[in-house]
Amino acid sequence: MFALVANQKVVIDWPCFWVVLGGSFLPRGVYTVLLFKMQFMLLFSRQGKLRLQKWYVPLSDKEKKKITRELVQTVLARKPKMCSFLEWRDLKIVYKRYASLYFCCAIEDQDNELITLEIIHRYVELLDKYFGSVCELDIIFNFEKAYFILDEFLLGGEAQETSKKNVLKAIEQADLLQEEAETPRSVLEEIGLT
Amino acid sequence: MTVTFLPLQEMIRAIRSARTQCEERGVIQRECAAIRAQFRQADNGGRSHNLAKLLYVHMLGYPAHFGQMECVRMIASPRYSEKRVGYLGAMMLLDEKQDASLLITNSIKNDLSNSNQYIQSLALCTLACMGSAEMCRDLAPEIDRLLRASNSYIKKKAALCAVHIVRKVHDLGELFTKAARSLLTEKNHGVVHGAVVLITELCERNSETLERFRKTVPDLVQIMKGLVISGYSPDHDVAGISDPFLQVRILRLLRILGRNNEAASDAMNDLLAQVATNTDSTKTVGNAVLYETVLTVLDIKSESGLRVLAVNILGRFLLNNDRNIRYIAMTSLQKIVGTDHNAVQRHRGTIVDCLKDQDASVKRRALELSLALVSASNIRSMMKELLSFLSSCPPELRSQTASGIFNAAERYAPSQRWHIDTILHVLTTAGGDVRDETVPNLIQLITNTSELHCYTVHKLYRALLSDISQQPLVQVACWCIGEYGDLLLTGECQETEPVQVTEDYVLDVLETVLQSHMSSPSTRGFALTATMKLSTRITENVDRIRSIVSIYGSCIDVELQQRAVEYNALFKKYDHMRAAVLERMPVIEKNSQGHTNGETIKESQTVKVKPGEPQQPANQVQANAAFYTVFSIVATVTVYEKDGVTVTLSCEKQSDSGLTVTLTASNSTESDIRGFTLQAAVPKSVQLHMKAPSGDSLPARGTAKLVFTFADMSEVYETKVSPVTS
């Protein structure tokens, strides 16, 4: 049995920022824990307004605000033709702009940036299919739906369903359930609850 | 009960149409007040509605903590619509740091056993998103149950929930091992994907589990083969690749299982070769799979042929039009440049071209990789590229480039002259971004290359004429002119076109540096000392030097003032020693604590020895240690010769911080001298141990000598020796 040298550095005030040291290409025999995890996803407009935030690590509100502010600034400062990847603190940031929205994911050191781009693209496709040619306003006025769709696609930061069709089917079913659960009152229907 | 609040979408509209921040805050405050009022009331129809409004407000950055308890209540509601929003609220407002989060544990537990899978799904999602370690411990058995006995929809979610649990509480991994194994055989892609992620996590946390799961390699290879060879599967196809997400995860798991294990690596060899060759690389998704394959191949014990294949894929990536792919390629090549150096060298040309890319991240990667690829055979061409990069690179990369160039130059310089030229080039282009050690390192290099003193001083003089703003360059130039000014004035040089200057010109240049507002205090110190040194190397304008030195005797800068005063003293009282004090520096030993940050040490044959010029206290010891090096060269110095008594002093460096000074006294008179003792005074910062003298009387006519030994002197500043005779 060989010993697992867990080469993690756990920073006290960011308990989930596990930094991988050395990563994969160390001399044989040295064994490090490789960590691949999405830490958070942010959607924001070109003016820097936050439209969706999904955090998969426990942080205080203050810390979240700070990160959001810094990251939004950093990404908005990038020029259009630049790389979709940047290094920020201990993480890798993968971002892509779709129309007026920036989709931004923070992944850990060993994660695959290219597949993260695919994940972002898949989420956009799901939103597009659901809302029918989605635009930023859809996500603003139906933000809770955007979250429900995200939660049906990713769980704990990992993709849970790789088939587009199945994700959309599940959302449809859940929406039906919600409709049934509400006593159909004309007042509520009028104000567009569903 | 009447509806007195705005519906969700109306509120959003109202907030968006607010023209100022103040107006927006007003709308939000009103709404929050209404929401709070509603929360306090008993069950009403619009609860989920209210919470949704609060969540929107929270996303804008306003406080929403008063909604936490409402979330807890909503989660416990039997209605799906309320649960859905309640759980969403919990994920947004309650994290494991909040006490209220524990209150939902029970609700989650109940919902996990709900007959409706969508309710189970909500609970699983929330637990996987924000479950604390305690919650995880409480609910782990439930999750295990769901892993075994439920439908695919739930199983895939339970698997990922288990991943979160294992990340939070490593020990709980044992619980899920069996279930994870059996999930691999399922047909549902989502379930298999979840299982692979779970197994990856379990193997990472526990080496025994890893051993056990190695047996699954053939199964994983089978699944992967199925995906790669299978025909078009509409459900999971992305641009011709069948379920790339699952492929990437399987490749990752294979990497973990194949590391450090020959057998496992062998078993996956063929498959990896197949994926590497058959995957379509025209779209990003294909490249994502190829990238993961490359990472796997390079990390396991793969055959050399497979490794070459992997590096070639990276080489192809380097030529890809897509900047992202080029960036990825360079990141990966950086990781293997140590182990597969030759393979990476083949792509050196492309990498160097990437130095000219527009994107700063790509430039940075290209720089790191280029520096790693410098070797003895390509040093000249690489240095050309690096120097041209230095002149046009973004400011945040200059310091890294400069130090990279210095390191490379030091290791692979084909000739001394090339080395000096390169350093001078860097100092002229990016003088402000080099590290502090550059100046003493360069000085040391120059001193050691005696055949190039003439060349160097000519080059530096010319550089000084054109620009005196780059401080490191100016410092080195001043030092050289001070040391080798005589070579400058001969007007001859073999290696380069000599300058024709007079002594006045040279002194003019030094004075310009002294007086310029661009010169830092330490630079001015260099210039003053250089001026002083020239007093022994020139013949005509010594008076000019004298006057410069005396002017600076009243300079506001204390350091300059002190120097000037001491130099003045050297002119007046110690003029007979001036030549010896200011003569050429001997070769400085490399790395012998010789970080003389600033002025180098002057030898002194007086007992009063001046220390070097440290810029910060930290350098004090180093500076003094450096002058011990000088001291050790001095054999014996006669320090007192009067009335027939001769006292000589010799020093030996015994240890890093200690010095042994031996005083030998001899008597050349006709009569004995008795009661001869020695007293030594040292400042408080020095430790002094005086060993017993060999005697206390000096016999006549030098027939014997008295020896006094001082050992372990550290930080000696000044030792006054005054023999006391009776």
Side-chain angles (χ1 to χ4, degrees):
Chain A
M1 292 301 153
F2 46 83
L4 228 162
V5 174
N7 228 340
Q8 317 169 3
K9 183 167 72 175
V10 181
V11 181
I12 305 302
D13 33 311
W14 299 75
C16 283
F17 273 34
W18 291 329
V19 176
V20 175
L21 305 173
S24 49
F25 304 116
L26 286 177
R28 307 293 155 77
V30 182
Y31 196 92
T32 40
V33 176
L34 306 175
L35 294 166
F36 327 86
K37 185 182 151 97
M38 184 186 300
Q39 297 222 351
F40 55 84
M41 180 188 283
L42 302 174
L43 262 72
F44 50 90
S45 70
R46 273 185 301 175
Q47 287 77 40
K49 282 228 132 100
L50 201 58
R51 298 301 178 205
L52 185 144
Q53 49 174 336
K54 191 75 190 181
W55 299 84
Y56 296 108
V57 288
L59 294 165
S60 71
D61 251 357
K62 208 169 115 192
E63 285 163 333
K64 286 183 192 166
K65 282 209 180 103
K66 183 156 179 264
I67 298 176
T68 309
R69 205 178 30 238
E70 271 183 49
L71 203 50
V72 167
Q73 250 179 347
T74 313
V75 172
L76 288 177
R78 305 269 290 178
K79 300 197 200 67
K81 284 270 195 271
M82 287 173 102
C83 205
S84 285
F85 315 129
L86 58 103
E87 277 136 38
W88 182 82
R89 299 198 190 181
D90 297 333
L91 299 171
K92 298 200 275 204
I93 305 295
V94 179
Y95 74 93
K96 192 146 185 219
R97 193 177 128 204
Y98 288 86
S100 58
L101 271 181
Y102 282 89
F103 287 69
C104 184
C105 285
I107 56 177
E108 287 179 349
D109 187 62
Q110 290 298 314
D111 216 341
N112 183 329
E113 293 99 320
L114 296 175
I115 205 73
T116 311
L117 271 179
E118 288 302 310
I119 288 189
I120 292 178
H121 192 72
R122 173 57 63 93
Y123 181 47
V124 172
E125 285 179 325
L126 289 168
L127 289 170
D128 198 47
K129 227 16 200 307
Y130 183 84
F131 287 109
S133 218
V134 67
C135 64
E136 193 185 339
L137 282 177
D138 289 320
I139 301 186
I140 295 172
F141 283 96
N142 300 285
F143 72 97
E144 76 278 20
K145 296 282 168 57
Y147 275 101
F148 295 150
I149 296 171
L150 185 62
D151 286 338
E152 208 49 60
F153 173 45
L154 300 177
L155 199 87
E158 309 281 352
Q160 57 179 291
E161 177 57 66
T162 54
S163 152
K164 231 190 306 186
K165 198 177 75 176
N166 290 350
V167 178
L168 291 166
K169 221 174 18 173
I171 307 264
E172 218 182 281
Q173 292 295 327
D175 281 348
L176 271 174
L177 201 58
Q178 179 161 343
E179 268 184 48
E180 284 166 19
E182 320 243 81
T183 336
R185 293 188 299 202
S186 58
V187 172
L188 288 172
E189 271 172 16
E190 249 177 64
I191 59 181
L193 181 60
T194 49
Chain B
M1 178 217 45
T2 49
V3 169
T4 56
F5 49 84
L6 288 173
L8 170 65
Q9 308 221 329
E10 283 303 315
M11 180 192 82
I12 296 177
R13 230 168 259 135
I15 293 173
R16 283 171 60 79
S17 56
R19 270 162 298 164
T20 61
Q21 186 77 10
C22 194
E23 223 182 294
E24 178 181 293
R25 242 177 286 142
V27 173
I28 289 179
Q29 264 170 2
R30 272 200 312 276
E31 286 301 312
C32 283
I35 293 170
R36 250 189 280 237
Q38 291 296 318
F39 282 172
R40 272 184 249 120
Q41 286 185 13
D43 181 36
N44 57 64
R47 275 169 71 188
S48 55
H49 186 71
N50 272 318
L51 188 55
K53 280 163 70 175
L54 184 61
L55 294 179
Y56 184 82
V57 162
H58 171 75
M59 190 155 60
L60 291 177
Y62 294 90
H65 43 271
F66 56 88
Q68 286 177 4
M69 285 316 292
E70 188 66 11
C71 290
V72 177
R73 262 179 255 129
M74 301 259 289
I75 288 173
S77 155
R79 281 153 125 191
Y80 180 72
S81 53
E82 293 184 350
K83 266 198 210 290
R84 211 182 188 194
V85 182
Y87 273 117
L88 181 64
M91 286 190 274
M92 286 175 76
L93 301 179
L94 293 174
D95 55 57
E96 65 179 44
K97 294 186 175 163
Q98 314 287 344
D99 295 329
S101 65
L102 286 174
L103 297 171
I104 61 175
T105 313
N106 222 28
S107 301
I108 294 182
K109 192 164 190 185
N110 291 335
D111 285 339
L112 283 175
S113 329
N114 197 295
S115 51
N116 187 318
Q117 66 177 15
Y118 296 104
I119 293 181
Q120 287 178 299
S121 158
L122 290 174
L124 285 165
C125 184
T126 308
L127 182 59
C129 180
M130 46 76 73
S132 66
E134 275 179 65
M135 287 164 72
C136 288
R137 271 197 207 96
D138 274 341
L139 300 168
E142 277 299 304
I143 304 297
D144 184 47
R145 192 179 58 78
L146 289 173
L147 274 178
R148 298 160 197 274
S150 52
N151 60 38
S152 313
Y153 180 73
I154 293 299
K155 268 194 214 165
K156 72 182 189 208
K157 294 184 189 249
L160 291 177
C161 203
V163 172
H164 174 85
I165 291 177
V166 175
R167 282 179 180 158
K168 276 280 187 233
V169 186
H170 302 337
D171 300 327
L172 287 172
E174 301 255 345
L175 189 59
F176 302 120
T177 314
K178 243 177 108 190
R181 179 73 187 82
S182 57
L183 286 179
L184 261 189
T185 52
E186 302 239 350
K187 289 275 171 284
N188 182 301
H189 279 229
V191 177
V192 175
H193 184 277
V196 172
V197 178
L198 179 56
I199 294 173
T200 310
E201 194 67 34
L202 293 172
C203 291
E204 287 266 74
R205 301 289 169 191
N206 188 312
S207 53
E208 282 174 31
T209 318
L210 176 60
E211 285 293 315
R212 254 184 283 161
F213 273 108
R214 281 229 176 83
K215 301 191 202 89
T216 63
V217 169
D219 298 320
L220 292 166
V221 168
Q222 265 317 101
I223 301 175
M224 192 67 190
K225 268 210 177 91
L227 291 171
V228 173
I229 310 176
S230 75
Y232 178 74
S233 133
D235 275 354
H236 300 103
D237 181 276
V238 180
I241 313 267
S242 186
D243 206 341
F245 303 106
L246 181 56
Q247 287 196 27
V248 164
R249 289 313 247 169
I250 294 180
L251 286 167
R252 216 175 268 174
L253 179 54
L254 287 174
R255 176 174 159 195
I256 308 258
L257 295 174
R259 276 203 291 179
N260 297 318
N261 189 293
E262 294 271 354
S265 303
D266 275 338
M268 56 182 85
N269 206 68
D270 286 343
L271 169 74
L272 293 172
Q274 197 173 25
V275 176
T277 7
N278 288 352
T279 308
D280 175 24
S281 57
T282 47
K283 296 268 176 63
T284 308
V285 62
N287 287 325
V289 175
L290 280 174
Y291 178 45
E292 195 70 39
T293 314
V294 167
L295 290 178
T296 304
V297 167
L298 294 174
D299 208 17
I300 63 173
K301 290 190 177 296
S302 45
E303 276 179 7
S304 60
L306 194 55
R307 274 187 99 82
V308 169
L309 187 57
V311 178
N312 285 348
I313 292 178
L314 291 179
R316 261 191 357 246
F317 277 4
L318 275 180
L319 300 165
N320 196 303
N321 282 334
D322 187 341
R323 187 172 274 130
N324 291 337
I325 311 280
R326 290 206 298 274
Y327 177 89
I328 295 283
M330 284 197 282
T331 321
S332 312
L333 287 171
Q334 182 76 38
K335 292 187 188 150
I336 58 166
V337 75
T339 48
D340 296 76
H341 191 90
N342 291 333
V344 182
Q345 277 284 3
R346 252 177 265 140
H347 304 283
R348 196 178 72 241
T350 327
I351 292 169
V352 167
D353 280 338
C354 288
L355 282 172
K356 305 184 190 93
D357 197 298
Q358 301 285 345
D359 183 324
S361 331
V362 173
K363 272 211 222 304
R364 180 191 299 271
R365 288 264 161 266
L367 172 66
E368 283 171 13
L369 209 44
S370 302
L371 288 173
L373 287 176
V374 174
S375 73
S377 49
N378 59 34
I379 178 72
R380 283 190 196 265
S381 54
M382 283 299 277
M383 196 50 82
K384 252 195 233 113
E385 299 284 349
L386 287 169
L387 287 173
S388 95
F389 176 69
L390 183 63
S391 43
S392 60
C393 77
E396 63 267 15
L397 290 178
R398 289 174 80 168
S399 161
Q400 194 182 355
T401 315
S403 31
I405 290 177
F406 285 152
N407 286 338
E410 198 168 308
R411 287 171 69 187
Y412 301 112
S415 73
Q416 298 276 40
R417 176 171 155 172
W418 182 95
H419 193 175
I420 290 177
D421 278 342
T422 309
I423 299 186
L424 290 181
H425 192 141
V426 174
L427 287 181
T428 4
T429 345
D433 297 297
V434 298
R435 284 205 282 257
D436 287 339
E437 311 80 86
T438 316
V439 171
N441 283 347
L442 181 55
I443 288 177
Q444 191 254 322
L445 180 64
I446 292 174
T447 354
N448 287 347
T449 346
S450 47
E451 63 275 15
L452 288 175
H453 286 167
C454 191
Y455 169 75
T456 315
V457 72
H458 277 267
K459 267 205 100 163
L460 284 168
Y461 180 78
R462 281 209 184 82
L464 210 54
L465 284 178
S466 56
D467 175 20
I468 59 167
S469 63
Q470 305 271 38
Q471 297 305 295
L473 186 64
V474 174
Q475 288 174 3
V476 177
C478 287
W479 189 90
C480 277
I481 293 176
E483 272 296 294
Y484 310 120
D486 47 326
L487 296 174
L488 195 59
L489 293 165
T490 57
E492 280 166 15
C493 184
Q494 284 173 332
E495 310 266 349
T496 181
E497 170 105 18
V499 290
Q500 306 299 336
V501 283
T502 65
E503 295 175 359
D504 266 320
Y505 285 166
V506 177
L507 287 173
D508 282 341
V509 163
L510 288 175
E511 254 196 296
T512 320
V513 172
L514 259 176
Q515 292 163 355
S516 164
H517 63 280
M518 288 191 283
S519 301
S520 71
S522 54
T523 309
R524 295 171 81 195
F526 269 95
L528 187 61
T529 308
T531 311
M532 187 59 192
K533 282 192 200 170
L534 282 179
S535 71
T536 53
R537 287 151 175 80
I538 61 175
T539 45
E540 291 160 16
N541 288 13
V542 183
D543 281 336
R544 184 174 167 187
I545 297 180
R546 242 189 271 262
S547 65
I548 294 175
V549 158
S550 72
I551 290 171
Y552 277 87
S554 40
C555 174
I556 284 184
D557 185 307
V558 176
E559 175 60 39
L560 280 180
Q561 196 191 103
Q562 180 181 352
R563 286 186 190 219
V565 164
E566 288 175 356
Y567 296 158
N568 244 332
L570 208 52
F571 266 126
K572 303 210 166 89
K573 271 177 75 180
Y574 297 97
D575 202 46
H576 56 285
M577 287 194 203
R578 187 164 48 92
V581 169
L582 298 176
E583 76 182 12
R584 275 267 209 286
M585 283 295 296
V587 169
I588 304 172
E589 276 168 36
K590 183 98 204 259
N591 289 333
S592 59
Q593 310 105 357
H595 275 255
T596 53
N597 226 356
E599 181 71 339
T600 49
I601 315 308
K602 297 192 286 297
E603 276 178 38
S604 177
Q605 290 180 339
T606 58
V607 180
K608 192 172 176 182
V609 181
K610 295 187 222 25
E613 178 180 291
Q615 280 179 345
Q616 305 111 22
N619 290 339
Q620 280 262 342
V621 178
Q622 293 170 327
N624 287 307
F627 97 78
Y628 292 153
T629 317
V630 175
F631 233 151
S632 65
I633 296 163
V634 177
T636 321
V637 176
T638 309
V639 297
Y640 182 88
E641 200 161 359
K642 207 171 156 192
D643 301 325
V645 176
T646 316
V647 180
T648 59
L649 184 152
S650 72
C651 314
E652 252 170 54
K653 189 169 70 157
Q654 294 291 59
S655 67
D656 278 346
S657 63
L659 187 70
T660 303
V661 178
T662 312
L663 265 96
T664 315
S666 64
N667 177 5
S668 59
T669 63
E670 293 296 318
S671 52
D672 292 344
I673 296 179
R674 270 173 284 273
F676 188 85
T677 58
L678 203 61
Q679 286 175 352
V682 293
K684 285 205 193 93
S685 57
V686 178
Q687 264 188 16
L688 178 65
H689 301 283
M690 213 168 119
K691 297 207 173 121
S694 55
D696 76 338
S697 57
L698 280 171
R701 280 179 241 104
T703 46
K705 295 194 169 132
L706 275 184
V707 178
F708 301 81
T709 319
F710 300 86
D712 289 332
M713 285 162 68
S714 46
E715 286 195 38
V716 172
Y717 262 56
E718 199 176 291
T719 315
K720 282 208 163 68
V721 175
S722 46
V724 175
T725 61
S726 57

